[in-house]
């Protein structure tokens, strides 16, 4: 078999110009809305205390720089005068100043990192809470309103909190430095006089104006050159996350890929996604090169610029060598403070890209929450708690639909799938749900679980009813076997004896002594073992209503029958509702819910697998 990769096209343009423009927006109000909540949260006192400590340390470092600036003047004057005694004293003074600077710098870095982690911890908890709350994670995946939420929580939150602190503290440091050194520079630079148009002009503190003009010009040029980097960084994060997700998905599905001999196709798909990364990176390189040219040239010329400007006064004998060095140092501090925007631009664009991704993610979560809380429209399906004794599930006028997204809009519409029907399921009843693939059987289960917002009608649940849904492929968390078996409970909720007994009843006795083994059980167990593990989970949870969505599709008929008999015998009072295609499953059910196309033409379309077919439900005894 040839190993040459086949051609695979990854949908979507590599670098859409309109999207790049949108992603490059600053969105400052929305960014502030991301920053503000932590500083009003329950952790604000600790956060504000750490912030105050870091600010004090920043101020201390600025003060030390002021001392160093004065030391420069005295030290170089001593050198010019060949004053050896003062030279020795000044070296000792420098040692003390340097020691305090080192302690302050180390402390500032340490407590800044501590504050970064506290802020990130709080924001991670908040985002995860909203993402998992109202089952927003599920709704987002259904409507595809945002990509790679895992990357946004794990990476973008880290970049956002780290960048916000480093940039804001850097800005504070620049402001304080400017206020501390602008007076020094104004004094030591003195005035400059020149004739222009027959008039004598004098500019007091002329070095301050040169520093301000130099910084303003550099900032404007840096913004014009570097602004596209915001959108490009946004896309780079997205493409990197897509590539990483594809690699993880290949690892998790290694066996079916190997059985299909799908390596060439997978390699081509991975290369196509990596080509997106490379194409976007090439643009990043070009714009970064331009920005680096501006920032590096700006920084290098700033080294000699104050000497050039101050040289006429020095050579005229109006300034000592120490004064020249102090002026150069003060100019560097003032110019550096005014150049915060230029020096931080590369960091700023990366931070703003992360902020924009978090803003989009937060908006997608809010949309999902609104869908869950809305009393009408897409959230007509309701679960009512009656306060009455357990008397079964009542379905009244339930109509099911599928979401339909407009081609050029984020709005989600609905396409009818199942005509309204009513039904009652009493405790202990056994219902079989049957019909052609794609008719909405699984959608019915999702509606009964309260996670399907598309449709209308009312579902009345008895108070305190325990419901358990076993899909065709149950979720098995990475962890110990006990945790995988007891999910969503922790493995410690049940005794080892109860866990082992459930495994033996589900014909998994070989696993009974592995309860404490940590593994990715979804990859280690075969599909049939995973389905039997789900039945063992049902034995532990003892639900009042058990929903089986092709939960025995990977089992042979004899084992399938054994699992159904186990449920019937172990949970005699539980209502069991099953979706299955095998006729042998019918023997374990007394009633049937059958999906049929609405009319003859629809029946033909359904057999041909054509889209847009709607169904009605027939209840059979």
């Amino acid at each position: 078999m040839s190993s040459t990769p086949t051609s695979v096209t990854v949908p979507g343009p590599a670098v859409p110009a309109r999207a790049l423009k949108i992603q490059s927006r600053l969105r400052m109000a929305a960014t502030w809305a991301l920053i503000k909540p932590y500083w009003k949260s329950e952790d604000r006192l600790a956060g504000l205390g750490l912030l105050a400590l870091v600010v004090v340390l920043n101020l201390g470092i600025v003060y030390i720089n002021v001392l160093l600036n004065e030391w420069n003047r005295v030290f170089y004057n001593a050198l010019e005068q060949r004053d050896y005694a003062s030279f020795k004293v000044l070296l000792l003074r420098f040692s003390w100043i340097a020691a305090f600077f080192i302690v302050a710098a180390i402390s500032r870095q340490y407590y800044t990192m501590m504050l970064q982690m506290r802020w990130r911890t709080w924001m991670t908890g908040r985002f995860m809470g909203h993402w998992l709350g109202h089952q927003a994670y599920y709704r987002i995946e259904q409507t595809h309103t945002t990509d790679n939420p895992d990357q946004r929580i794990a990476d973008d939150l880290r970049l956002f909190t780290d960048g916000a602190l480093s940039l804001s503290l850097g800005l504070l440091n620049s402001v304080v430095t400017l206020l501390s050194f602008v007076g020094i520079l104004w004094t030591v630079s003195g005035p400059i006089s020149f004739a222009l148009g027959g008039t004598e002009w004098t500019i007091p503190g002329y070095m301050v104006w040169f520093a301000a003009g130099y910084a303003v010009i550099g900032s404007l040029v840096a913004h014009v050159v570097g602004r596209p980097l915001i959108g490009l960084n946004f896309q780079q994060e997205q493409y990197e996350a897509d590539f990483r997700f594809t690699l993880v998905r290949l690892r998790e599905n290694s066996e079916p890929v190997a059985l299909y001999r799908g390596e060439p196709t997978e390699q081509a798909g991975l290369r196509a996604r990596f080509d997106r990364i490379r194409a976007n990176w090439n643009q990043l390189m070009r714009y970064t090169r331009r920005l680096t040219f501006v920032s590096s040239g700006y920084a290098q010329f700033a080294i000699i610029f104050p000497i050039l400007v101050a040289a006429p006064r020095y050579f005229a004998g109006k300034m000592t060598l120490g004064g020249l060095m102090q002026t150069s140092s003060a100019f560097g501090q003032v110019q550096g403070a005014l150049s915060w925007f230029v020096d931080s631009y590369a960091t700023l664009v990366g931070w703003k890209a992360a902020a924009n991704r978090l803003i989009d993610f937060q908006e997608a979560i809010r949309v999902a929450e609104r869908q869950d809380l809305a009393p009408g429209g897409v959230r007509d399906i309701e679960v009512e708690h009656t306060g009455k004794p357990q008397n079964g599930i009542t379905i009244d006028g339930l109509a099911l639909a599928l979401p339909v997204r407009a081609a050029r809009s984020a709005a989600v519409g609905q396409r009818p799938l199942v005509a309204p029907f009513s039904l009652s399921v009493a405790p202990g009843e056994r219902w079989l749900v049957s019909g052609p693939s794609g008719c909405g059987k699984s959608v019915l289960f999702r509606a009964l679980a309260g996670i399907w917002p598309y449709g209308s009608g009312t579902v009345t649940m008895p108070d305190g009813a325990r419901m358990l849904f076993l899909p065709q492929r149950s979720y098995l968390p990475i962890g110990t076997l006990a945790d995988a078996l007891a999910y969503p409970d922790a493995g410690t909720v049940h005794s080892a004896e109860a866990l082992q007994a459930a495994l033996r009843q589900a014909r998994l006795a070989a696993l009974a002594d592995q309860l404490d083994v940590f593994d990715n059980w979804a990859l280690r167990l075969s599909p049939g073992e995973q389905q039997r593990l789900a039945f063992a989970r049902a034995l532990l949870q003892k639900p009042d209503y058990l929903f089986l969505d092709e939960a025995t599709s990977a089992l042979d008929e004899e084992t399938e029958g054994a699992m159904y008999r186990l449920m019937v015998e172990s949970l005699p009072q539980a209502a069991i509702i099953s979706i299955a295609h095998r006729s042998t499953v019918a023997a374990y059910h007394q009633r049937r819910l059958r999906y049929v196309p609405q009319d003859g033409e629809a029946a033909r379309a359904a057999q041909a697998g054509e889209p847009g077919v709607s169904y009605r439900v027939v209840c059979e005894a």
Side-chain angles (χ1 to χ4, degrees):
M1 180 176 294
S2 172
S3 59
T4 303
T6 58
S7 175
V8 173
T9 301
V10 179
V15 185
R18 184 173 180 273
L20 185 62
K21 183 177 180 181
I22 293 173
Q23 293 154 7
S24 298
R25 292 181 302 175
L26 296 180
R27 305 165 77 177
M28 297 309 297
T31 303
W32 173 244
L34 280 178
I35 295 173
K36 183 172 61 175
Y38 174 70
W39 306 102
K40 293 185 175 182
S41 71
E42 68 285 350
D43 195 47
R44 66 184 182 279
L45 294 180
L48 289 171
L50 283 171
L51 180 61
L53 178 58
V54 173
V55 168
V56 169
L57 290 169
N58 259 311
L59 296 177
I61 290 175
V62 173
Y63 177 69
I64 292 173
N65 284 328
V66 172
L67 294 179
L68 284 172
N69 179 262
E70 175 63 19
W71 179 89
N72 264 330
R73 181 183 66 83
V74 179
F75 181 75
Y76 281 102
N77 280 338
L79 286 179
E80 186 179 33
Q81 297 165 9
R82 293 177 172 81
D83 186 349
Y84 183 65
S86 297
F87 174 79
K88 291 190 294 183
V89 172
L90 288 169
L91 284 181
L92 181 62
R93 183 184 301 174
F94 176 81
S95 300
W96 283 105
I97 295 175
F100 282 118
F101 181 89
I102 292 170
V103 172
I106 292 173
S107 300
R108 180 183 64 176
Q109 181 67 26
Y110 178 80
Y111 290 111
T112 299
M113 293 178 67
M114 182 183 295
L115 179 56
Q116 287 172 345
M117 183 49 67
R118 288 194 76 98
W119 191 5
R120 181 187 175 189
T121 300
W122 186 88
M123 287 198 70
T124 299
R126 180 169 178 264
F127 267 83
M128 285 197 302
H130 284 291
W131 183 50
L132 294 173
H134 299 284
Q135 296 179 323
Y137 66 95
Y138 174 76
R139 300 178 191 280
I140 288 173
E141 290 301 318
Q142 293 295 314
T143 56
H144 306 289
T145 50
T146 192
D147 63 272
N148 301 301
D150 53 320
Q151 187 261 357
R152 301 188 189 220
I153 293 175
D155 292 338
D156 289 336
L157 276 175
R158 173 181 55 81
L159 293 172
F160 178 77
T161 52
D162 293 0
L165 280 176
S166 63
L167 289 169
S168 58
L169 291 174
L171 178 59
L172 173 66
N173 188 74
S174 295
V175 171
V176 175
T177 299
L178 177 63
L179 295 176
S180 300
F181 282 93
V182 70
I184 297 174
L185 183 60
W186 184 282
T187 301
V188 300
S189 65
I192 187 172
S193 299
F194 58 93
L196 182 63
T199 305
E200 185 76 15
W201 296 87
T202 300
I203 303 177
Y206 74 101
M207 294 286 287
V208 173
W209 304 110
F210 274 100
Y214 189 77
V216 168
I217 294 172
S219 298
L220 290 175
V221 173
H223 181 60
V224 171
V225 171
R227 183 172 180 176
L229 287 170
I230 299 176
L232 291 171
N233 274 286
F234 183 104
Q235 291 193 145
Q236 192 69 21
E237 292 293 329
Q238 176 183 343
Y239 296 157
E240 295 281 3
D242 288 341
F243 182 62
R244 183 167 60 246
F245 175 78
T246 306
L247 290 170
V248 172
R249 190 170 182 271
L250 173 60
R251 188 187 68 186
E252 292 180 344
N253 294 276
S254 56
E255 182 175 339
V257 171
L259 291 173
Y260 276 113
R261 298 294 193 270
E263 295 86 358
T265 301
E266 292 299 320
Q267 185 177 6
L270 288 169
R271 283 185 175 178
R273 283 168 173 79
F274 190 79
D275 283 343
R276 278 188 171 189
I277 294 175
R278 186 177 60 181
N280 197 74
W281 186 261
N282 287 337
Q283 292 203 54
L284 272 172
M285 288 168 55
R286 287 195 290 271
Y287 282 101
T288 301
R289 180 178 59 188
R290 299 174 190 176
L291 181 61
T292 304
F293 174 79
V294 172
S295 58
S296 296
Y298 178 88
Q300 291 302 311
F301 189 64
I303 297 173
I304 196 66
F305 184 70
I307 303 293
L308 292 176
V309 176
R313 296 192 70 226
Y314 173 74
F315 287 112
K318 297 180 181 180
M319 182 181 294
T320 64
L321 177 61
L324 177 64
M325 299 309 297
Q326 184 183 24
T327 300
S328 176
S329 174
F331 182 92
Q333 293 287 352
V334 171
Q335 178 265 330
L338 291 171
S339 303
W340 171 85
F341 188 76
V342 177
D343 297 337
S344 303
Y345 203 87
T347 303
L348 183 62
V349 295
W351 174 75
K352 197 65 199 71
N356 286 351
R357 286 178 59 78
L358 289 175
I359 291 168
D360 291 346
F361 184 37
Q362 183 171 259
E363 181 56 31
I365 291 176
R366 287 173 178 168
V367 170
E369 289 176 340
R370 288 197 294 267
Q371 287 180 347
D372 185 62
L373 297 174
V378 297
R379 194 63 185 92
D380 284 335
I381 298 172
E382 301 174 356
V383 178
E384 299 180 355
H385 297 282
T386 62
K388 301 177 181 178
Q390 187 169 339
N391 55 0
I393 298 175
T394 301
I395 300 172
D396 185 18
L398 178 61
L400 300 173
L402 294 176
V404 178
R405 291 193 64 183
R408 298 184 179 181
S409 171
V412 179
Q414 299 186 34
R415 177 177 70 78
L417 178 63
V418 179
F421 69 98
S422 299
L423 178 70
S424 294
V425 179
E429 289 187 343
R430 313 283 186 255
W431 283 82
L432 177 64
V433 182
S434 61
S437 296
C439 67
K441 302 186 294 297
S442 297
V443 172
L444 170 61
F445 278 20
R446 294 167 190 159
L448 295 177
I451 64 173
W452 190 258
Y454 309 106
S456 61
T458 302
V459 179
T460 304
M461 296 289 181
D463 276 345
R466 299 186 302 274
M467 303 173 66
L468 179 63
F469 292 81
L470 300 186
Q472 185 174 7
R473 184 175 180 180
S474 291
Y475 173 67
L476 300 180
I478 297 175
T480 65
L481 179 60
D483 290 333
L485 175 57
Y487 187 83
D489 298 330
T492 54
V493 171
H494 305 276
S495 66
E497 292 75 15
L499 296 173
Q500 290 173 339
L503 288 172
R504 293 189 181 98
Q505 287 179 280
R507 298 190 174 186
L508 292 171
L511 299 176
D513 60 347
Q514 300 185 43
L515 292 176
D516 296 327
V517 176
F518 190 98
D519 208 335
N520 186 347
W521 295 98
L523 297 180
R524 177 170 172 179
L525 299 179
S526 69
E529 289 173 323
Q530 293 183 44
Q531 290 189 341
R532 279 178 281 158
L533 189 71
F535 279 97
R537 187 181 289 170
L539 293 176
L540 291 173
Q541 297 194 17
K542 296 180 172 56
D544 299 309
Y545 296 88
L546 179 62
F547 297 85
L548 307 174
D549 187 355
E550 298 190 55
T552 58
S553 59
L555 303 179
D556 61 87
E557 291 186 4
E558 192 277 328
T559 305
E560 176 184 66
M563 293 298 104
Y564 268 101
R565 288 192 297 272
L566 177 62
M567 294 297 100
V568 171
E569 295 170 1
S570 302
L571 306 171
Q573 300 302 317
I576 299 178
I577 303 94
S578 303
I579 295 175
H581 292 288
R582 289 180 184 170
S583 58
T584 52
V585 176
Y588 305 98
H589 302 79
Q590 293 81 42
R591 310 195 68 180
R592 175 175 294 202
L593 198 67
R594 189 160 57 90
Y595 281 63
V596 296
Q598 288 274 43
D599 50 43
E601 182 63 23
R604 182 203 62 75
Q607 291 177 354
E610 296 178 4
V613 179
S614 60
Y615 296 83
R616 60 187 176 90
V617 173
V618 178
C619 300
E620 301 175 349

